[in-house]
Amino acid sequence: MSHSDEQLQSVLETLEGCRRVLNACDSRESAELLSIVILDVRMKLKGIDSADLKALCDEMLRSAASVPPSPSKQTQDQPRRPLLRVVK
């Protein structure tokens, strides 16, 4: 692991700690914004560029569009679940 990767890993750990604190303080919007930053840092560490992420999102949208909608409890008034979720 290079020195810059070690620095990014350290930053990532700090950001994840901050996100945990924000979630504990019920600052959901701030925690979600921080999740985007965490995703960006993880992508840099793994060598994934924005074109790869866009291709993944496009493929997920195509797959979701090809599956017939099933009846659910979700109505138009309820927010949609995100297609991507940040995981460790």
Side-chain angles (χ1 to χ4, degrees), residues 7-25 27 30-43 45-46 85-88:
Q7 287 179 319
L8 282 177
Q9 186 62 43
S10 175
V11 167
L12 182 60
E13 291 168 9
T14 301
L15 292 170
E16 289 172 338
C18 292
R19 183 177 57 183
R20 281 190 295 276
V21 170
L22 289 168
N23 279 323
C25 294
S27 296
S30 296
E32 287 176 356
L33 289 171
L34 197 50
S35 292
I36 295 168
V37 176
I38 290 169
L39 175 61
D40 184 62
V41 173
R42 283 189 181 146
M43 287 173 55
L45 279 168
K46 300 293 184 180
R85 185 175 198 175
V86 179
V87 293
K88 287 186 177 181

